[in-house]
Amino acid sequence: MTVEQNVLQQHSQKHQQTLLNQLREVTGTTDIQLLQQALQVSNGDVAEAVAFLTEKNSKVPQQDETTYYQTSQVASDRYISVGSQADTNVIDLTGDDKDDLQRAIALSLEESSRAFRETGITDEEQAISRVLEASIAENKASLKRTHTEVWSDSPNPHDRKRIDSCPVGLKNVGNTCWFSAVIQSLFNLLEFQRLVLNYSPPARVLDLPRNQKEHRNLPFMQELRNLFSLMVGSKRKYVDPSRAVEILKDAFKSSESQQQDVSEFTHKLLDWLEDAFQMKAEEDSVGEKPKNPMVELFYGRFLAVGVLEGKKFENTEMFGQYPLQVNGFKDLHECLEAAMVEGEIESLHSAENSARSGQEHWFTELPPVLTFELSRFEFNQALGRPEKIHNKLEFPSMLYMDRYMDRNREITRIKREEIRRLKEHLTVLQQRLERYLSYGSGPKRFPLADVLQYAMEFASSKPVCTSPVEDIDTSAPPGGTTGQQLPPPSSTAEPDSVPPQESSGPASAPAAAPPAAQQQRVPVHKPFTQSRLPPDLPMHPAPRHITEEELRVLEGCLHRWRSEVENDTRDLQGSITRIHRTIELMYTDKSMMQVPYRLHAVLVHEGQANAGHYWAYIYDPHQRCWMKYNDISVTKSSWEELVRDSFGGYRNASAYCLMYINDKKPFLIEEEFDKETGQILSGMDKLPPDLKQYVKEDNEQFDKEIEEWDAMQARKAQQEKLALAAAAASAAPSSTSTSTSSPQPMSIESSPPDNTVAQQDPEYLEQPSPTGDFKHLQEDTERAISRAAAEQEDRSPEVLLNAAIKLEYARLLRFAQEDTPPELDYRLHHVIVYFIQNEAPKKILERTLLTQFADRNLAFDERCKSIMQVARAKLDLIKPEEVNMDEYEMWHQDYRNFRETTVLMVTGLELFQKSNYVEALMYLIYSYQYNRELLLKGLYRGHDEELLGYHRRECLLKLNEQAAAMFESGEEPEVGTGLGIMNELVVPCIPLLLAQEAEKDLLAVEDMRNRWCSYLGQEMEANLQEKLTDFLPKLLDCSTEIKSFHDPPKLPSYSTLELCERFGRIVAAVGRAPGEGR
């Protein structure tokens, strides 16, 4: 056999074993012959093999333990990752070359090896291509999406501009969030980043690639370099990885589009990188064994030590990503302990020849980057589909691996034995404690100390009568007031119609017997009054007869017994706490803390087994904080947020991959230094010349896009300005004749003197009806002037103006200080009330009131006209330094925003009340957002946030229910409409609910997602399944960045009186947000 054939056979063997391990883990089948048969029948297709095994499992008996360990040693262990550098010096434990199983394996390996020699592509690689093709297909489809869907770019390039040195995100080009999570985790390993950026293909391969694998690896590596260079030096907030995915897709040919496990992609990505660097290493090394940097970075070795039917064995294996089972374990160390010890291992440590079988794994060499795959998916045999495990699994930020190292084998075994003994003792103590804390023989159990205390309280209670029903008066009025005694059982009760004053007196006599019909009347239940106990009744039942001696003896016994029980309980709890502490500290001595690994990245999956969304938390050692990489969104995070999303048990999110790095090897995350200057290389300085030019060209293209956008916006602004000027010029000649008929009911800013440029009234004051706000405000102003004239002896216009302003301000101040119900909001009646409640500066209040009295609409008689003229003259005399006009305009703009928010709120709530949820949503969404912005400036700037939040949330839930019902109908028009509601309305709004992380909003999102995820296990037509699979990733996207959204709805035109009336009516109807709601 030639060297090349030997290498090919080794690769095929590893590939074959990987598929066997996957099938064993997914289906739970341990029969190696059955697994081999499934692979042969399915021609290496994992999905078909799973289907074959699912049908066969009911007919095949389970293997016994001995058979399992025999077959598990045939080839590489299930923990081995595919890698061309695996150690081939493995001890063969089968011993029989003629065994049928060996012949089956040899036949399978021969077939796989022949296929590999012919094409250069393994079956596994073809399977991986399916996920890439699915992503590319989704990317092409995404180009046809409307602007309301979540993957579209903002047309404004400023929204896509990178801020300072913020990390660059990766665009989700269609079901590729897994690609983003993996690539970002690797990119932020600076040593890995340097290896990729500085990679140069071997010269011989450029001339003549030897096989299809080399044709694939070189373009892929170049696109990965391009992608990394953009992530280093781009001016864009996020970059598009489509070309890297396209290269991967073009390397494989497959007609199917089946979603594969993302961990499988990670395996293959490292394999492709390993192959690419191996070619370079072989060219660079002359006469030496080539060193592959990918292998040195990600691959380690462990020693498998075991006993099989009394025979000891040892073999060394290579591993990359180390898989760990999650189900049944509470933290990472428990998972590792279970993975390192398999079967009954007592005989491993004893000299006796036992028939027991088992094995241990001991790490002999750990890689600088240690990656754990958390197996959170299992195959449900009953349902015939995979399911996700949502159990909580804790993991530390610093992991000490000493206890798993081969050099510490003996001391670890001693500690494990001690821990086992302590846990046995702990179990006994916990069982004893449980008997104290859950005492009794029935279904309801209570702490024994409490039972004794209750018995003591009962014994010491004073009896007040001989019967528990003798002192109850049914004629007493509700509320617990004293009533007359209940008559003896033989007598009749009082009629229910007796007035309270006739039946509540202590000396009142019994009334005549009522008719029989009244005697049988059922009393009305009044839960808040009738159920109250009269004050003279005892709080607890009491013994009817007990002597002082009996009570003294009983109290003494109960007191002593309770003290004994409490002491025993404290002793047990103390012992349990000490044992827990001893177990926790078992590995904390210095000798067992010499191999520290710090958590570098956590890859998170949210969703179910068939669909979901991926993102990553990555530690930034320079900023000393965690960063959240969620596609295009890169934000600062915290350990608390990471714990919430990654440990599991909370929503449907949990970690599926943990990446630790050796804390004693800082080169992994250290920046590179310039050899001449000693300065840290950053940004473009990191890049080799060819990549610098590539990034420079991309940045120039982006700068050009920004310039074109700015020029276009400038042209639009100029056109709008010219249009406004033309409109103003055409309106100027008729302004004089129409001034008295123009409705400006709340206008507190009137036109300036004729010699000044006309100013436009604030938008929130423009009203349609001359009989509405105008009349209302005019009457208020006239009333203030009349009162001032009646109170003042001096009738000069200036004195009257000052007095009228004081009176008007006093009236509005009373409104601002009045405690009103929610439906009556005086801020809507007058801008001054809003200003007072929000503590606007005095100068702003004065100018606003002065402007109200300077309104030309007041000039209907000589007195008002003269006051108006004085007010206008005073406005002209105000110097710019006395009133900051920018601040003045800012306050009035805030009030305009408040009124606009109110209109949105009222309209949205009215539509919600009419069950018109589609139209109500945008009004509620925008009113909540605008209101939140107002409340950030002050408590009284906006409306009740809980009220708006509740209806926004409920509107989305109602729409979700409607859309789900349409989908369930299965009818094509309804299904399309339902998914349209979700894609165009609900999905774009979910980031708004996630952004603030309010518990009720998060629960609502979880409810919506669970409703759609529940369809995954149901039978449905193929077209419905396809639509559901396409839709779920959008729904499960956890990004809090608003990628695209609807324009604000058009506002209806309300006068102030109409707005106040409608506001009061709708707020009274909906009330405040329910306290027990979502």
Side-chain angles (χ1 to χ4, degrees):
M1 182 180 289
T2 64
V3 174
E4 183 177 359
Q5 288 174 329
N6 185 37
V7 172
L8 290 173
Q9 186 172 3
Q10 290 176 19
H11 194 93
S12 295
Q13 288 174 347
K14 289 182 288 180
H15 164 63
Q16 185 78 6
Q17 185 60 34
T18 300
L19 294 180
L20 289 173
N21 292 334
Q22 287 176 345
L23 284 177
R24 185 192 314 165
E25 199 167 306
V26 170
T27 64
T29 302
T30 57
D31 187 341
I32 194 69
Q33 292 175 313
L34 189 58
L35 293 173
Q36 288 283 358
Q37 182 185 358
L39 282 178
Q40 290 176 1
V41 170
S42 64
N43 292 323
D45 188 293
V46 176
E48 291 185 12
V50 170
F52 175 83
L53 289 171
T54 305
E55 297 174 0
K56 283 282 186 181
N57 268 344
S58 59
K59 305 175 183 178
V60 178
Q62 293 293 321
Q63 289 183 310
D64 59 20
E65 185 180 8
T66 304
T67 308
Y68 170 76
Y69 282 103
Q70 183 176 359
T71 57
S72 68
Q73 299 300 326
V74 171
S76 301
D77 184 77
R78 68 187 176 89
Y79 292 118
I80 300 176
S81 278
V82 177
S84 61
Q85 304 298 312
D87 196 332
T88 60
N89 185 22
V90 179
I91 299 174
D92 186 3
L93 301 177
T94 59
D96 185 3
D97 294 335
K98 298 180 180 180
D99 187 81
D100 289 341
L101 176 60
Q102 287 295 84
R103 288 200 299 271
I105 295 175
L107 177 61
S108 178
L109 292 176
E110 183 180 350
E111 291 177 353
S112 294
S113 180
R114 182 168 60 251
F116 175 77
R117 287 196 298 270
E118 291 174 357
T119 65
I121 303 172
T122 66
D123 292 338
E124 186 182 12
E125 290 167 340
Q126 293 177 10
I128 289 300
S129 72
R130 295 167 189 153
V131 67
L132 301 172
E133 289 190 304
S135 296
I136 296 301
E138 176 66 18
N139 185 26
K140 291 178 179 178
S142 70
L143 298 177
K144 303 175 184 179
R145 289 183 173 134
T146 63
H147 72 281
T148 58
E149 295 194 45
V150 298
W151 309 122
S152 58
D153 289 326
S154 168
N156 185 351
H158 290 283
D159 295 338
R160 295 181 272 116
K161 187 174 182 180
R162 185 179 182 182
I163 302 174
D164 300 328
S165 58
C166 180
V168 175
L170 289 177
K171 182 180 179 181
N172 188 331
V173 294
N175 292 340
T176 57
C177 46
W178 46 268
F179 180 86
S180 173
V182 173
I183 292 298
Q184 290 283 18
S185 301
L186 295 173
F187 173 80
N188 281 277
L189 284 170
L190 298 187
E191 178 64 12
F192 179 86
Q193 182 188 119
R194 285 189 286 269
L195 288 171
V196 171
L197 291 174
N198 296 308
Y199 176 84
S200 58
R204 62 163 182 79
V205 177
L206 292 175
D207 298 332
L208 185 62
R210 293 182 301 184
N211 54 41
Q212 190 169 352
K213 183 175 288 189
E214 292 183 355
H215 272 293
R216 174 201 69 203
N217 287 339
L218 297 181
F220 170 72
M221 281 302 302
Q222 185 56 45
E223 285 306 327
L224 190 61
R225 292 180 72 234
N226 292 342
L227 183 61
F228 273 28
S229 66
L230 290 174
M231 293 167 72
V232 168
S234 179
K235 292 183 178 180
R236 302 176 190 267
K237 183 179 180 181
Y238 56 89
V239 293
D240 191 335
S242 295
R243 295 181 65 179
V245 178
E246 284 278 1
I247 292 294
L248 295 175
K249 174 255 183 184
D250 291 339
F252 306 103
K253 302 300 177 185
S254 172
S255 59
E256 301 179 24
S257 297
Q258 180 179 353
Q259 182 75 29
Q260 301 293 322
D261 189 278
V262 68
S263 63
E264 186 66 17
F265 165 76
T266 311
H267 276 293
K268 294 309 300 177
L269 175 62
L270 292 179
D271 278 348
W272 294 327
L273 292 170
E274 180 189 339
D275 290 339
F277 278 94
Q278 185 65 23
M279 289 188 289
K280 181 65 176 174
E282 289 174 354
E283 181 183 70
D284 295 341
S285 61
V286 181
E288 300 177 0
K289 184 178 179 180
K291 290 186 177 181
N292 191 320
M294 289 295 109
V295 174
E296 294 182 350
L297 202 58
F298 293 104
Y299 288 89
R301 296 176 187 273
F302 65 83
L303 184 67
V305 182
V307 172
L308 178 63
E309 296 181 352
K311 294 181 180 181
K312 294 185 179 180
F313 68 88
E314 269 190 23
N315 62 298
T316 301
E317 304 291 354
M318 196 171 193
F319 73 92
Q321 294 172 278
Y322 202 87
L324 297 174
Q325 294 295 323
V326 170
N327 213 3
F329 306 109
K330 68 176 183 179
D331 59 43
L332 186 61
H333 277 299
E334 285 192 3
C335 295
L336 275 167
E337 291 281 355
M340 304 299 281
V341 181
E342 295 185 356
E344 301 181 50
I345 61 169
E346 288 85 350
S347 57
L348 295 176
H349 317 143
S350 64
E352 300 175 4
N353 237 351
S354 169
R356 290 176 176 174
S357 299
Q359 62 175 317
E360 293 176 330
H361 291 169
W362 299 96
F363 292 119
T364 57
E365 181 184 346
L366 288 173
V369 181
L370 180 59
T371 305
F372 295 113
E373 288 180 6
L374 304 182
S375 180
R376 284 193 171 270
F377 300 96
E378 62 181 2
F379 193 81
N380 189 316
Q381 297 281 7
L383 298 177
R385 61 181 173 85
E387 289 184 338
K388 185 177 178 183
I389 301 169
H390 295 292
N391 298 353
K392 182 177 182 179
L393 183 80
E394 299 179 358
F395 48 84
S397 58
M398 185 67 75
L399 178 69
Y400 293 95
M401 296 294 294
D402 303 76
R403 70 183 81 174
Y404 310 109
M405 302 302 294
D406 183 53
R407 61 175 177 265
N408 296 324
R409 188 193 304 185
E410 295 307 321
I411 187 171
T412 300
R413 282 175 173 170
I414 294 171
K415 290 180 179 291
R416 283 178 180 170
E417 181 60 28
E418 177 64 14
I419 289 175
R420 186 189 63 80
R421 187 187 63 80
L422 288 172
K423 286 187 174 180
E424 288 178 354
H425 187 203
L426 184 64
T427 301
V428 175
L429 293 177
Q430 287 173 333
Q431 290 173 347
R432 291 180 181 175
L433 179 62
E434 184 65 18
R435 294 192 186 102
Y436 282 93
L437 298 180
S438 298
Y439 184 80
S441 56
K444 290 187 177 181
R445 305 192 176 202
F446 304 93
L448 180 54
D450 291 349
V451 172
L452 296 172
Q453 177 64 28
Y454 298 154
M456 192 184 305
E457 291 174 358
F458 173 77
S460 58
S461 298
K462 300 293 184 182
V464 295
C465 61
T466 58
S467 171
V469 297
E470 285 184 356
D471 60 342
I472 299 178
D473 182 9
T474 56
S475 65
T481 56
T482 305
Q484 63 185 53
Q485 296 284 328
L486 185 72
S490 59
S491 62
T492 56
E494 287 205 7
D496 291 340
S497 59
V498 175
Q501 61 268 25
E502 295 180 10
S503 60
S504 60
S508 58
Q518 287 187 347
Q519 284 184 335
Q520 298 176 0
R521 184 192 301 173
V522 178
V524 178
H525 177 61
K526 301 175 181 178
F528 297 107
T529 56
Q530 195 164 300
S531 60
R532 295 174 186 164
L533 289 175
D536 57 346
L537 286 185
M539 293 301 295
H540 300 287
R544 296 191 187 181
H545 305 288
I546 185 169
T547 65
E548 291 294 332
E549 181 64 21
E550 289 173 338
L551 180 60
R552 185 179 60 79
V553 173
L554 187 57
E555 283 185 338
C557 292
L558 290 172
H559 182 75
R560 184 178 71 252
W561 294 339
R562 185 169 183 270
S563 297
E564 292 171 356
V565 168
E566 288 178 340
N567 291 334
D568 291 346
T569 303
R570 278 194 297 269
D571 292 343
L572 286 169
Q573 290 172 335
S575 297
I576 290 172
T577 301
R578 285 191 295 273
I579 291 176
H580 276 302
R581 186 63 176 162
T582 302
I583 293 174
E584 289 174 4
L585 298 176
M586 188 65 70
Y587 293 100
T588 55
D589 51 291
K590 270 192 173 182
S591 63
M592 300 300 284
M593 300 178 71
Q594 299 302 309
V595 188
Y597 272 76
R598 184 178 57 75
L599 187 61
H600 163 70
V602 179
L603 279 66
V604 180
H605 173 269
E606 180 175 40
Q608 303 297 332
N610 292 339
H613 180 66
Y614 297 90
W615 70 91
Y617 290 101
I618 303 172
Y619 187 71
D620 187 332
H622 307 292
Q623 298 189 59
R624 295 186 178 182
C625 70
W626 285 93
M627 303 291 291
K628 182 177 181 180
Y629 290 79
N630 191 349
D631 291 336
I632 66 173
S633 172
V634 182
T635 55
K636 279 190 177 182
S637 184
S638 64
W639 175 253
E640 290 72 25
E641 183 182 2
L642 184 153
V643 165
R644 186 197 67 194
D645 287 347
S646 306
F647 278 10
Y650 177 79
R651 301 189 296 181
N652 289 330
S654 54
Y656 74 91
C657 183
L658 306 176
M659 191 176 290
Y660 285 87
I661 58 176
N662 193 323
D663 203 43
K664 291 187 175 181
K665 296 184 178 180
F667 72 90
L668 293 169
I669 53 173
E670 277 185 349
E671 295 282 1
E672 191 175 0
F673 289 84
D674 189 289
K675 296 179 180 178
E676 296 180 0
T677 64
Q679 299 294 320
I680 293 179
L681 295 177
S682 61
M684 299 282 281
D685 295 334
K686 288 184 176 184
L687 305 179
D690 62 322
L691 294 181
K692 277 186 181 178
Q693 183 61 30
Y694 177 78
V695 175
K696 182 180 177 183
E697 291 174 0
D698 185 76
N699 285 341
E700 288 174 352
Q701 182 181 353
F702 187 61
D703 288 339
K704 184 179 179 181
E705 185 180 350
I706 292 177
E707 290 175 4
E708 291 175 352
W709 171 267
D710 291 342
M712 181 178 68
Q713 297 304 309
R715 287 194 299 272
K716 284 184 178 180
Q718 183 64 26
Q719 291 170 358
E720 291 174 359
K721 186 180 292 186
L722 292 174
L724 288 174
S730 61
S734 58
S735 60
T736 305
S737 59
T738 60
S739 61
T740 57
S741 61
S742 297
Q744 298 178 6
M746 270 190 62
S747 179
I748 55 174
E749 286 197 24
S750 60
S751 301
D754 294 339
N755 60 349
T756 62
V757 181
Q759 295 182 1
Q760 194 175 5
D761 289 330
E763 293 177 6
Y764 68 90
L765 302 178
E766 296 175 0
Q767 306 297 342
S769 171
T771 61
D773 281 347
F774 169 69
K775 184 177 180 181
H776 174 69
L777 185 63
Q778 180 180 330
E779 288 175 353
D780 289 342
T781 309
E782 290 173 2
R783 191 179 299 112
I785 292 174
S786 298
R787 286 185 58 192
E791 295 176 4
Q792 297 293 326
E793 295 181 1
D794 186 351
R795 299 296 181 89
S796 64
E798 185 170 359
V799 172
L800 289 178
L801 174 63
N802 292 335
I805 287 178
K806 289 180 180 179
L807 290 171
E808 178 70 355
Y809 177 77
R811 181 181 72 89
L812 297 174
L813 180 62
R814 285 195 303 273
F815 287 163
Q817 295 174 341
E818 186 176 335
D819 188 12
T820 60
E823 59 269 18
L824 179 59
D825 193 337
Y826 282 123
R827 293 175 299 174
L828 295 172
H829 288 246
H830 204 292
V831 64
I832 290 295
V833 178
Y834 182 85
F835 285 176
I836 293 173
Q837 290 190 357
N838 290 287
E839 301 178 352
K842 183 180 177 182
K843 292 290 185 181
I844 304 296
L845 295 174
E846 291 176 351
R847 181 179 176 88
T848 302
L849 280 170
L850 193 59
T851 308
Q852 175 179 331
F853 284 85
D855 193 335
R856 294 188 183 193
N857 292 313
L858 297 177
F860 71 96
D861 63 14
E862 288 302 321
R863 183 174 61 186
C864 288
K865 182 177 180 181
S866 60
I867 290 176
M868 178 267 291
Q869 291 173 345
V870 171
R872 297 175 69 82
K874 283 181 174 288
L875 282 176
D876 293 339
L877 294 174
I878 297 176
K879 298 178 181 178
E881 59 269 18
E882 293 179 3
V883 177
N884 186 331
M885 292 306 297
D886 290 336
E887 185 182 15
Y888 178 82
E889 178 55 34
M890 182 197 72
W891 277 96
H892 281 274
Q893 182 60 50
D894 282 353
Y895 186 65
R896 283 191 288 270
N897 294 341
F898 171 72
R899 284 179 59 90
E900 183 177 339
T901 301
T902 306
V903 173
L904 288 167
M905 170 184 171
V906 168
T907 308
L909 292 177
E910 288 175 345
L911 291 169
F912 183 91
Q913 286 290 96
K914 297 174 183 177
S915 300
N916 192 346
Y917 305 118
V918 172
E919 292 187 26
L921 181 63
M922 284 301 108
Y923 287 100
L924 294 173
I925 288 292
Y926 273 98
S927 64
Y928 182 89
Q929 293 301 113
Y930 292 170
N931 190 68
R932 184 171 182 81
E933 293 173 8
L934 288 170
L935 292 177
L936 291 175
K937 296 183 178 182
L939 181 62
Y940 301 104
R941 295 287 185 120
H943 296 289
D944 184 357
E945 187 173 20
E946 288 189 13
L947 177 70
L948 281 170
Y950 171 79
H951 285 89
R952 177 184 72 159
R953 186 166 58 247
E954 286 298 313
C955 191
L956 285 169
L957 287 167
K958 295 287 187 183
L959 287 172
N960 186 72
E961 287 298 317
Q962 288 182 358
M966 292 177 181
F967 183 80
E968 289 173 1
S969 70
E971 300 295 330
E972 187 52 41
E974 284 78 9
V975 170
T977 303
L979 291 177
I981 289 174
M982 295 302 296
N983 282 322
E984 297 178 14
L985 295 176
V986 178
V987 169
C989 294
I990 284 181
L992 298 174
L993 269 64
L994 295 175
Q996 305 304 323
E997 297 187 353
E999 182 180 359
K1000 294 176 182 178
D1001 288 344
L1002 295 177
L1003 288 174
V1005 173
E1006 188 68 10
D1007 286 348
M1008 290 187 277
R1009 289 173 171 169
N1010 287 339
R1011 176 65 181 270
W1012 289 92
C1013 287
S1014 67
Y1015 298 138
L1016 290 172
Q1018 301 179 17
E1019 294 184 2
M1020 62 181 70
E1021 295 180 4
N1023 65 320
L1024 293 181
Q1025 185 68 50
E1026 183 180 352
K1027 290 180 178 180
L1028 180 64
T1029 304
D1030 177 70
F1031 164 67
L1032 278 177
K1034 307 169 193 174
L1035 179 66
L1036 296 173
D1037 184 0
C1038 293
S1039 173
T1040 56
E1041 180 160 340
I1042 311 302
K1043 295 163 184 163
S1044 62
F1045 211 63
H1046 292 263
D1047 294 330
K1050 293 184 178 180
L1051 296 179
S1053 180
Y1054 294 155
S1055 68
T1056 294
L1057 292 178
E1058 185 181 7
L1059 179 60
C1060 292
E1061 179 185 343
R1062 299 182 79 151
F1063 175 85
R1065 186 165 57 244
I1066 192 63
V1067 172
V1070 301
R1072 292 190 178 273
E1076 299 301 322
R1078 295 178 188 277

